[in-house]
């Protein structure tokens, strides 16, 4: 399929597709002067979308795709690399949750203090 159909099917923009092509995340076949997007590009775009949804930056996705290109899709090396990336992401999320918990505790202390003062004022 050509870029217009690909964009519609993926629910994205041509600019996004071109950007991913510039970063070598998508590699459609060039037929004449038009790009042809196939099942590989669909799977790659879906993988990019999923990784972004999980909070990965485009540079991290690029790194994973480069590793996949060197080692082959589904190889133990790529799977270990992906596992390590996901474990790092889980650690980052856990750290964010812990920080948010500390912030929440601080807000609750301030709320209790305001409630106490308000109780004396009313």
């Amino acid at each position: 399929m050509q870029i217009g159909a690909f964009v519609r099917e993926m629910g994205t923009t041509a600019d996004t597709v071109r950007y991913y092509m510039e970063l070598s995340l998508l590699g459609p076949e060039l037929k004449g002067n038009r790009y042809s997007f196939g099942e590989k590009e669909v799977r790659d775009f879906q993988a990019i979308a999923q990784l972004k949804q999980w909070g990965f930056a485009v540079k991290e996705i690029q790194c994973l795709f480069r590793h996949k290109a060197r080692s082959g899709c589904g190889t133990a090396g790529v799977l270990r690399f992906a596992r390590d990336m996901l474990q790092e992401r889980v650690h980052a999320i856990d750290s964010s949750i812990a920080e948010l918990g500390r912030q929440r505790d601080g807000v609750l202390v301030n709320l209790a203090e305001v409630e106490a003062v308000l109780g004396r004022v009313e």
Side-chain angles (χ1 to χ4, degrees):
M1 77 184 91
Q2 292 181 359
I3 192 167
F6 184 79
V7 163
R8 284 189 298 279
E9 187 172 321
M10 296 296 103
T12 190
T13 66
D15 287 340
T16 297
V17 171
R18 288 187 195 101
Y19 177 62
Y20 291 166
M21 289 169 62
E22 287 174 24
L23 298 176
S24 299
L25 294 174
L26 293 176
E29 184 180 346
L30 187 59
K31 293 183 178 179
N33 64 346
R34 296 181 186 259
Y35 286 103
S36 178
F37 295 81
E39 284 302 311
K40 180 185 180 310
E41 288 73 35
V42 168
R43 285 190 309 273
D44 285 347
F45 187 88
Q46 290 168 338
I48 293 164
Q50 183 66 67
L51 290 163
K52 285 184 71 179
Q53 189 175 32
W54 289 341
F56 288 99
V58 173
K59 294 293 181 190
E60 293 171 308
I61 297 168
Q62 239 184 327
C63 188
L64 178 61
F65 273 52
R66 277 195 303 269
H67 199 79
K68 180 180 83 166
R70 282 192 305 269
S71 302
C73 188
T75 63
V78 169
L79 293 171
R80 279 191 295 275
F81 188 81
R83 178 202 57 206
D84 293 347
M85 284 182 66
L86 290 168
Q87 286 175 334
E88 288 175 19
R89 186 71 190 136
V90 167
H91 178 70
I93 291 168
D94 288 343
S95 295
S96 294
I97 289 170
E99 177 58 28
L100 287 170
R102 287 188 290 277
Q103 289 177 17
R104 182 180 186 277
D105 291 345
V107 169
L108 288 173
V109 167
N110 290 331
L111 177 61
E113 291 170 357
V114 169
E115 290 287 347
V117 171
L118 187 58
R120 289 192 301 268
V121 171
E122 292 181 331

